Amino acid sequence: MSEPAILHNPSLPNIYGPITAGQLFERTFTLLRENFKLFFGIVLILVGVEIVFGGVTAGFLGGNAFLMDGSSIEPASLGRILFLVPIVFVGGVLLFILIQIIQGALFIATRAKLTETQITVGDACKLAADQAGRLIGISLLIILRVIGYILLFVLVFGVLAAVIGAFGGLLHAVAGQPFSRGHLPSAGVILFLLMLVLAGVIAYLLFWLWLASRYALSIPAALAENLSVTESIRRSIHLSKGSRGRLYALFLGIVVADVAIAAVTVPFQLILKHGAGDPHGFAFGVIGILLAGFRILTSALIVAVMGVATGLCYYDLRVRKEGFGVVTPPTPPVPMAPAEPWPLPPNEPAGDLPIS
């Protein structure tokens, strides 16, 4: 059953959209700024569990699991690894479930704030946890579809590369240039291969961008319209078809943010790696703590932005394609003309007849 369109005042603009790509980011950061405790409280649940899970894993692997010469494995370390495998598996499954709940909770919180409804972190997480089965089913089905598309992409690109390579080898043989171990391809061939690799990388990134935008609205559709697993995915494909500009802008913005974060953190990671063996490495420890805190904050911000912006995109596309949230003023009733009196027969008197 589709949720009803809610507007507090029909004279105000539609709170659900339509919005441009710039307005998408503006509204996202406005909601995050005005409801900081709500959205970051939801995200920090996930971040805290990840920190605990990573700390437990690192604690079990903290010893010398492998001998430095690599010739054998210490018995104690082997037992530790065998004990850790089921813990990692169970923890990974629970973490996957928690990720789906957090995604649902972010959408529920976004929907509540659009309609100015009071909601807490616990309420949003509880409502999402009640739908955890559907959310997990959606994510698993999307993963299977993505794997299938990746295999198809690799197959097509491999066939294309084999055809181009065979064609290049044929031209090489026709030109009368024998193959030899010391023979190097010409500058033109090297440039062509580099261009081919670059085109493959760009095509792969565009392919991932298309996949992400294709399925990004599945969880919002499931929660907002109470759809099944397959219906939610089909609904996401239908809504995003031909109208993925804002989704593309969102995911490209996330990619740019990731690249910027990597540009900041990678030099510090190299410094930490270089000073790992320093006996007086207090400064490196401080850098490591600051770097870990920076990663936590940036990852929490990215997750929150993704959750809120995806919900806004969902409602924006429903407004554009279905007029969601638009209140049509009632049509005034058309007044009916007064009924005319029924005409009397021509030879019949108008008054009452006398009583004889």
Coordinates of all heavy atoms in Angstrom, one line a residue, residues 198-270:
L198 N 42.7 2.8 -20.5 CA 42.0 3.9 -19.9 C 40.5 3.9 -20.2 O 39.7 4.1 -19.4 CB 42.6 5.2 -20.4 CG 42.0 6.5 -19.9 CD1 42.2 6.6 -18.4 CD2 42.7 7.7 -20.6
A199 N 40.2 3.5 -21.4 CA 38.8 3.4 -21.8 C 38.1 2.3 -21.0 O 36.9 2.4 -20.6 CB 38.7 3.1 -23.3
G200 N 38.8 1.2 -20.7 CA 38.2 0.1 -19.9 C 38.0 0.6 -18.5 O 36.9 0.2 -17.9
V201 N 38.9 1.3 -17.9 CA 38.7 1.8 -16.6 C 37.5 2.8 -16.5 O 36.7 2.7 -15.6 CB 40.0 2.5 -16.1 CG1 39.7 3.2 -14.7 CG2 41.1 1.5 -15.9
I202 N 37.4 3.7 -17.5 CA 36.3 4.6 -17.5 C 35.0 3.9 -17.7 O 34.0 4.2 -17.0 CB 36.5 5.7 -18.6 CG1 37.7 6.6 -18.3 CG2 35.3 6.6 -18.8 CD1 38.1 7.5 -19.4
A203 N 35.0 2.9 -18.6 CA 33.8 2.1 -18.8 C 33.4 1.4 -17.6 O 32.2 1.3 -17.2 CB 34.0 1.2 -20.0
Y204 N 34.3 0.9 -16.8 CA 34.1 0.1 -15.6 C 33.5 1.1 -14.5 O 32.5 0.7 -13.8 CB 35.3 -0.5 -15.1 CG 35.1 -1.4 -13.9 CD1 34.5 -2.7 -14.1 CD2 35.6 -1.1 -12.6 CE1 34.3 -3.5 -13.0 CE2 35.4 -2.0 -11.6 CZ 34.7 -3.2 -11.8 OH 34.5 -4.0 -10.7
L205 N 34.0 2.3 -14.4 CA 33.5 3.2 -13.4 C 32.1 3.7 -13.8 O 31.2 3.8 -12.9 CB 34.4 4.5 -13.4 CG 35.8 4.2 -12.7 CD1 36.6 5.5 -12.8 CD2 35.7 3.7 -11.3
L206 N 31.8 3.9 -15.1 CA 30.5 4.3 -15.6 C 29.5 3.1 -15.3 O 28.3 3.3 -15.0 CB 30.5 4.7 -17.0 CG 31.3 6.0 -17.4 CD1 31.3 6.2 -18.9 CD2 30.6 7.2 -16.6
F207 N 30.0 1.9 -15.5 CA 29.2 0.7 -15.3 C 28.8 0.6 -13.8 O 27.6 0.4 -13.5 CB 30.0 -0.5 -15.7 CG 29.4 -1.8 -15.3 CD1 28.3 -2.3 -16.0 CD2 29.9 -2.6 -14.3 CE1 27.7 -3.5 -15.6 CE2 29.3 -3.8 -13.9 CZ 28.2 -4.2 -14.6
W208 N 29.7 0.9 -12.9 CA 29.4 0.8 -11.5 C 28.4 2.0 -11.1 O 27.5 1.8 -10.3 CB 30.6 0.9 -10.6 CG 31.2 -0.4 -10.3 CD1 32.3 -1.0 -10.8 CD2 30.6 -1.3 -9.3 NE1 32.5 -2.2 -10.2 CE2 31.5 -2.5 -9.3 CE3 29.5 -1.3 -8.5 CZ2 31.3 -3.6 -8.5 CZ3 29.3 -2.4 -7.7 CH2 30.2 -3.5 -7.7
L209 N 28.6 3.1 -11.7 CA 27.7 4.3 -11.5 C 26.3 3.9 -11.9 O 25.3 4.2 -11.3 CB 28.2 5.5 -12.2 CG 27.6 6.8 -11.9 CD1 27.8 7.2 -10.5 CD2 28.1 7.9 -12.8
W210 N 26.2 3.3 -13.1 CA 24.8 2.9 -13.6 C 24.2 1.8 -12.6 O 23.0 1.9 -12.3 CB 25.0 2.3 -15.0 CG 23.7 1.7 -15.5 CD1 22.7 2.4 -16.1 CD2 23.4 0.3 -15.6 NE1 21.7 1.5 -16.5 CE2 22.1 0.3 -16.2 CE3 24.1 -0.9 -15.3 CZ2 21.5 -1.0 -16.5 CZ3 23.4 -2.1 -15.6 CH2 22.2 -2.1 -16.1
L211 N 25.0 0.9 -12.2 CA 24.5 -0.1 -11.3 C 24.0 0.5 -10.0 O 22.9 0.2 -9.4 CB 25.5 -1.2 -11.0 CG 25.7 -2.3 -12.0 CD1 26.8 -3.2 -11.5 CD2 24.4 -3.1 -12.2
A212 N 24.8 1.4 -9.4 CA 24.4 2.0 -8.1 C 23.1 2.8 -8.2 O 22.3 2.7 -7.4 CB 25.6 2.9 -7.6
S213 N 23.0 3.6 -9.3 CA 21.8 4.4 -9.5 C 20.6 3.5 -9.8 O 19.4 3.9 -9.5 CB 22.0 5.4 -10.6 OG 22.3 4.8 -11.9
R214 N 20.8 2.4 -10.4 CA 19.7 1.5 -10.8 C 19.0 0.9 -9.6 O 17.8 0.7 -9.5 CB 20.3 0.4 -11.7 CG 19.2 -0.7 -12.2 CD 20.0 -1.7 -13.1 NE 19.1 -2.8 -13.4 CZ 18.3 -2.8 -14.5 NH1 18.3 -1.7 -15.3 NH2 17.6 -3.9 -14.8
Y215 N 19.8 0.6 -8.5 CA 19.2 -0.1 -7.4 C 19.2 0.7 -6.1 O 18.8 0.2 -5.0 CB 20.0 -1.4 -7.1 CG 20.0 -2.4 -8.3 CD1 21.2 -2.8 -8.9 CD2 18.8 -2.9 -8.7 CE1 21.2 -3.7 -9.9 CE2 18.8 -3.8 -9.8 CZ 20.0 -4.2 -10.4 OH 20.0 -5.1 -11.4
A216 N 19.6 2.0 -6.2 CA 19.7 2.8 -5.0 C 18.4 3.1 -4.3 O 18.4 3.3 -3.0 CB 20.4 4.1 -5.3
L217 N 17.3 3.0 -5.0 CA 16.0 3.4 -4.4 C 15.2 2.2 -3.9 O 14.0 2.3 -3.6 CB 15.2 4.2 -5.4 CG 15.9 5.4 -6.0 CD1 15.0 6.1 -7.0 CD2 16.3 6.4 -4.9
S218 N 15.8 1.0 -3.9 CA 15.1 -0.2 -3.5 C 14.6 -0.2 -2.1 O 13.5 -0.5 -1.7 CB 16.0 -1.4 -3.8 OG 16.3 -1.5 -5.1
I219 N 15.5 0.2 -1.1 CA 15.1 0.2 0.3 C 14.1 1.3 0.6 O 13.1 1.1 1.3 CB 16.4 0.3 1.2 CG1 17.2 -1.0 1.1 CG2 16.0 0.7 2.6 CD1 18.4 -1.0 2.0
P220 N 14.3 2.6 0.1 CA 13.2 3.5 0.3 C 11.9 3.1 -0.3 O 10.9 3.3 0.4 CB 13.8 4.8 -0.5 CG 15.3 4.6 -0.4 CD 15.5 3.2 -0.5
A221 N 11.9 2.5 -1.4 CA 10.6 2.0 -2.0 C 10.0 0.9 -1.1 O 8.7 0.9 -1.0 CB 10.8 1.5 -3.4
A222 N 10.8 0.0 -0.6 CA 10.2 -1.0 0.2 C 9.6 -0.5 1.5 O 8.5 -0.9 1.9 CB 11.3 -2.0 0.6
L223 N 10.3 0.5 2.1 CA 9.8 1.0 3.4 C 8.6 2.0 3.2 O 7.7 2.1 4.0 CB 10.9 1.7 4.1 CG 12.0 0.8 4.6 CD1 13.1 1.6 5.2 CD2 11.5 -0.2 5.6
A224 N 8.7 2.8 2.1 CA 7.6 3.8 1.9 C 6.4 3.3 1.3 O 5.3 3.7 1.6 CB 8.2 4.9 1.0
E225 N 6.5 2.2 0.5 CA 5.3 1.7 -0.2 C 5.0 0.3 0.2 O 4.1 -0.3 -0.4 CB 5.6 1.7 -1.7 CG 5.9 3.1 -2.2 CD 6.2 3.2 -3.7 OE1 5.4 2.6 -4.5 OE2 7.3 3.7 -4.1
N226 N 5.7 -0.3 1.2 CA 5.4 -1.6 1.7 C 5.4 -2.7 0.6 O 4.5 -3.4 0.4 CB 4.0 -1.6 2.5 CG 3.9 -2.9 3.3 OD1 4.8 -3.5 3.7 ND2 2.6 -3.2 3.6
L227 N 6.5 -2.7 -0.2 CA 6.6 -3.6 -1.3 C 7.4 -4.8 -0.9 O 8.2 -4.8 0.1 CB 7.3 -2.9 -2.5 CG 6.6 -1.6 -3.0 CD1 7.4 -1.0 -4.1 CD2 5.2 -2.0 -3.5
S228 N 7.3 -5.9 -1.7 CA 8.1 -7.1 -1.4 C 9.5 -6.9 -1.9 O 9.9 -5.8 -2.5 CB 7.4 -8.3 -2.1 OG 7.5 -8.1 -3.5
V229 N 10.3 -7.9 -1.8 CA 11.7 -7.8 -2.2 C 11.8 -7.5 -3.7 O 12.5 -6.5 -4.2 CB 12.5 -9.1 -1.9 CG1 13.9 -9.0 -2.4 CG2 12.6 -9.2 -0.3
T230 N 11.2 -8.3 -4.5 CA 11.3 -8.2 -6.0 C 10.6 -6.9 -6.5 O 11.1 -6.2 -7.4 CB 10.8 -9.4 -6.7 OG1 9.4 -9.6 -6.3 CG2 11.6 -10.6 -6.4
E231 N 9.5 -6.6 -5.9 CA 8.7 -5.4 -6.2 C 9.5 -4.1 -5.9 O 9.5 -3.2 -6.7 CB 7.4 -5.4 -5.5 CG 6.4 -6.4 -6.0 CD 5.1 -6.4 -5.2 OE1 5.2 -5.9 -4.1 OE2 4.1 -7.0 -5.7
S232 N 10.3 -4.2 -4.8 CA 11.1 -3.0 -4.4 C 12.2 -2.7 -5.5 O 12.4 -1.6 -5.8 CB 11.7 -3.2 -3.1 OG 10.7 -3.4 -2.1
I233 N 12.8 -3.8 -5.9 CA 13.9 -3.6 -6.9 C 13.3 -3.2 -8.2 O 13.9 -2.3 -8.9 CB 14.6 -5.0 -7.1 CG1 15.4 -5.3 -5.8 CG2 15.6 -4.9 -8.2 CD1 16.1 -6.6 -5.8
R234 N 12.2 -3.7 -8.7 CA 11.6 -3.3 -9.9 C 11.1 -1.8 -9.8 O 11.2 -1.1 -10.7 CB 10.4 -4.2 -10.2 CG 10.8 -5.5 -10.8 CD 9.6 -6.2 -11.5 NE 8.5 -6.5 -10.5 CZ 8.4 -7.7 -10.0 NH1 9.3 -8.7 -10.2 NH2 7.4 -7.9 -9.1
R235 N 10.6 -1.4 -8.6 CA 10.2 -0.1 -8.4 C 11.4 0.9 -8.5 O 11.3 2.0 -9.0 CB 9.6 0.0 -7.0 CG 9.1 1.4 -6.6 CD 7.9 1.8 -7.5 NE 7.3 3.0 -6.9 CZ 6.5 3.8 -7.6 NH1 6.4 3.7 -8.9 NH2 6.0 4.9 -7.0
S236 N 12.5 0.5 -7.9 CA 13.7 1.3 -8.0 C 14.2 1.5 -9.5 O 14.5 2.6 -9.9 CB 14.9 0.7 -7.2 OG 16.0 1.4 -7.3
I237 N 14.1 0.4 -10.2 CA 14.5 0.5 -11.6 C 13.6 1.4 -12.4 O 14.0 2.2 -13.2 CB 14.5 -0.9 -12.3 CG1 15.6 -1.8 -11.6 CG2 14.8 -0.9 -13.8 CD1 15.6 -3.2 -12.0
H238 N 12.3 1.3 -12.1 CA 11.3 2.1 -12.8 C 11.4 3.6 -12.5 O 11.4 4.4 -13.4 CB 9.9 1.6 -12.4 CG 8.8 2.6 -12.9 ND1 8.4 2.7 -14.2 CD2 8.0 3.4 -12.2 CE1 7.4 3.6 -14.3 NE2 7.1 4.0 -13.1
L239 N 11.6 3.9 -11.2 CA 11.7 5.3 -10.8 C 13.0 6.0 -11.4 O 13.0 7.1 -11.8 CB 11.7 5.4 -9.3 CG 10.3 5.3 -8.6 CD1 10.5 5.3 -7.1 CD2 9.3 6.3 -9.1
S240 N 14.1 5.2 -11.4 CA 15.4 5.8 -11.8 C 15.6 5.8 -13.3 O 16.4 6.5 -13.8 CB 16.5 5.0 -11.1 OG 16.5 3.7 -11.5
K241 N 14.7 5.0 -14.0 CA 14.9 4.9 -15.5 C 14.7 6.3 -16.2 O 13.6 6.9 -16.0 CB 13.9 3.9 -16.0 CG 14.1 3.6 -17.5 CD 13.2 2.6 -18.0 CE 13.4 2.3 -19.5 NZ 12.5 1.2 -20.0
G242 N 15.7 6.8 -16.9 CA 15.6 8.0 -17.6 C 15.7 9.3 -16.7 O 15.6 10.4 -17.3
S243 N 15.8 9.1 -15.4 CA 15.9 10.3 -14.5 C 16.9 10.0 -13.4 O 16.6 10.0 -12.3 CB 14.5 10.5 -13.9 OG 13.5 10.7 -14.9
R244 N 18.2 9.8 -13.9 CA 19.2 9.5 -12.9 C 20.2 10.6 -12.7 O 21.3 10.4 -12.2 CB 19.9 8.2 -13.3 CG 19.0 7.0 -13.3 CD 19.7 5.8 -13.9 NE 18.8 4.6 -13.9 CZ 18.9 3.5 -14.6 NH1 19.9 3.4 -15.4 NH2 18.0 2.5 -14.4
G245 N 19.9 11.8 -13.1 CA 20.9 12.9 -13.0 C 21.3 13.2 -11.6 O 22.5 13.3 -11.3
R246 N 20.3 13.3 -10.7 CA 20.6 13.6 -9.3 C 21.3 12.4 -8.6 O 22.2 12.6 -7.8 CB 19.3 13.9 -8.5 CG 18.8 15.3 -8.8 CD 17.3 15.5 -8.7 NE 16.6 14.6 -9.6 CZ 16.5 14.9 -10.9 NH1 17.0 16.0 -11.4 NH2 15.9 14.1 -11.8
L247 N 21.0 11.2 -9.0 CA 21.7 10.0 -8.4 C 23.1 10.0 -8.9 O 24.0 9.7 -8.1 CB 20.9 8.7 -8.8 CG 19.6 8.5 -8.1 CD1 18.9 7.3 -8.8 CD2 19.8 8.2 -6.7
Y248 N 23.3 10.3 -10.2 CA 24.7 10.3 -10.7 C 25.5 11.4 -10.0 O 26.7 11.2 -9.6 CB 24.7 10.6 -12.2 CG 24.2 9.5 -13.1 CD1 23.7 9.7 -14.3 CD2 24.4 8.2 -12.6 CE1 23.3 8.6 -15.1 CE2 23.9 7.1 -13.4 CZ 23.4 7.3 -14.6 OH 23.0 6.3 -15.4
A249 N 24.9 12.6 -9.8 CA 25.6 13.7 -9.1 C 25.9 13.2 -7.6 O 27.0 13.5 -7.1 CB 24.7 14.9 -9.1
L250 N 25.0 12.5 -7.0 CA 25.2 12.1 -5.6 C 26.4 11.1 -5.6 O 27.4 11.3 -4.8 CB 24.0 11.4 -5.1 CG 24.1 10.7 -3.7 CD1 24.5 11.6 -2.6 CD2 22.8 10.0 -3.4
F251 N 26.4 10.1 -6.4 CA 27.5 9.1 -6.3 C 28.8 9.7 -6.8 O 29.9 9.3 -6.3 CB 27.1 7.9 -7.2 CG 26.0 7.1 -6.6 CD1 24.8 6.9 -7.3 CD2 26.0 6.7 -5.3 CE1 23.7 6.2 -6.7 CE2 24.9 6.0 -4.7 CZ 23.8 5.7 -5.4
L252 N 28.8 10.6 -7.8 CA 30.1 11.2 -8.2 C 30.6 12.1 -7.1 O 31.8 12.1 -6.9 CB 29.8 12.0 -9.5 CG 29.7 11.3 -10.8 CD1 29.3 12.2 -11.9 CD2 30.9 10.5 -11.1
G253 N 29.7 12.8 -6.4 CA 30.2 13.5 -5.2 C 30.8 12.7 -4.2 O 31.8 13.1 -3.6
I254 N 30.2 11.5 -3.9 CA 30.8 10.6 -3.0 C 32.2 10.1 -3.4 O 33.1 10.0 -2.6 CB 29.9 9.4 -2.7 CG1 28.6 9.8 -2.1 CG2 30.5 8.3 -1.8 CD1 28.7 10.5 -0.8
V255 N 32.3 9.8 -4.7 CA 33.6 9.3 -5.3 C 34.7 10.4 -5.1 O 35.8 10.2 -4.7 CB 33.5 8.9 -6.7 CG1 34.8 8.7 -7.4 CG2 32.6 7.7 -6.9
V256 N 34.3 11.7 -5.4 CA 35.2 12.8 -5.2 C 35.6 13.0 -3.8 O 36.8 13.2 -3.5 CB 34.6 14.1 -5.8 CG1 35.5 15.3 -5.4 CG2 34.4 14.0 -7.3
A257 N 34.7 12.8 -2.9 CA 35.0 12.9 -1.4 C 36.0 11.8 -1.0 O 36.9 12.0 -0.3 CB 33.7 12.8 -0.6
D258 N 35.7 10.6 -1.5 CA 36.6 9.5 -1.2 C 38.0 9.7 -1.7 O 39.0 9.4 -1.0 CB 36.1 8.2 -1.8 CG 34.9 7.6 -1.0 OD1 34.8 7.9 0.2 OD2 34.1 6.9 -1.6
V259 N 38.1 10.2 -2.9 CA 39.5 10.5 -3.5 C 40.2 11.6 -2.7 O 41.4 11.5 -2.4 CB 39.3 11.0 -5.0 CG1 40.7 11.5 -5.5 CG2 38.8 9.8 -5.8
A260 N 39.4 12.7 -2.3 CA 40.0 13.7 -1.5 C 40.5 13.2 -0.1 O 41.5 13.6 0.4 CB 39.0 14.9 -1.3
I261 N 39.7 12.3 0.5 CA 40.0 11.7 1.8 C 41.3 10.9 1.6 O 42.2 10.9 2.5 CB 38.9 10.9 2.4 CG1 37.7 11.9 2.8 CG2 39.3 10.1 3.6 CD1 36.5 11.1 3.1
A262 N 41.4 10.1 0.6 CA 42.6 9.3 0.3 C 43.8 10.1 0.1 O 44.9 9.8 0.6 CB 42.3 8.4 -0.9
A263 N 43.6 11.3 -0.6 CA 44.8 12.2 -0.8 C 45.3 12.7 0.5 O 46.5 13.0 0.6 CB 44.4 13.3 -1.8
V264 N 44.4 12.9 1.5 CA 44.8 13.4 2.8 C 45.4 12.3 3.7 O 46.4 12.5 4.3 CB 43.6 14.1 3.5 CG1 44.0 14.5 4.9 CG2 43.2 15.3 2.7
T265 N 44.8 11.1 3.7 CA 45.2 10.1 4.6 C 46.4 9.2 4.1 O 47.2 8.7 5.0 CB 44.0 9.2 4.9 OG1 43.6 8.6 3.6 CG2 42.9 10.0 5.6
V266 N 46.6 9.0 2.8 CA 47.6 8.2 2.3 C 49.0 8.6 2.8 O 49.9 7.8 3.2 CB 47.5 8.0 0.8 CG1 48.8 7.4 0.2 CG2 46.3 7.2 0.4
P267 N 49.4 9.9 2.6 CA 50.7 10.4 3.1 C 50.9 10.0 4.6 O 52.0 9.6 5.0 CB 50.7 11.9 2.9 CG 49.7 12.1 1.8 CD 48.6 11.1 2.0
F268 N 49.9 10.2 5.4 CA 50.1 9.9 6.9 C 50.2 8.4 7.1 O 51.0 8.0 8.0 CB 48.9 10.4 7.6 CG 48.8 11.9 7.8 CD1 48.0 12.7 7.0 CD2 49.6 12.6 8.7 CE1 47.9 14.0 7.1 CE2 49.6 13.9 8.8 CZ 48.7 14.7 8.0
Q269 N 49.5 7.6 6.2 CA 49.7 6.1 6.3 C 51.1 5.7 6.0 O 51.7 4.8 6.6 CB 48.7 5.4 5.4 CG 47.3 5.6 5.9 CD 46.3 5.0 4.9 OE1 46.6 4.7 3.7 NE2 45.1 4.7 5.3
L270 N 51.7 6.4 5.0 CA 53.1 6.1 4.6 C 54.0 6.5 5.8 O 55.0 5.8 6.0 CB 53.5 6.8 3.3 CG 52.7 6.3 2.1 CD1 53.1 7.2 0.9 CD2 52.9 4.9 1.8

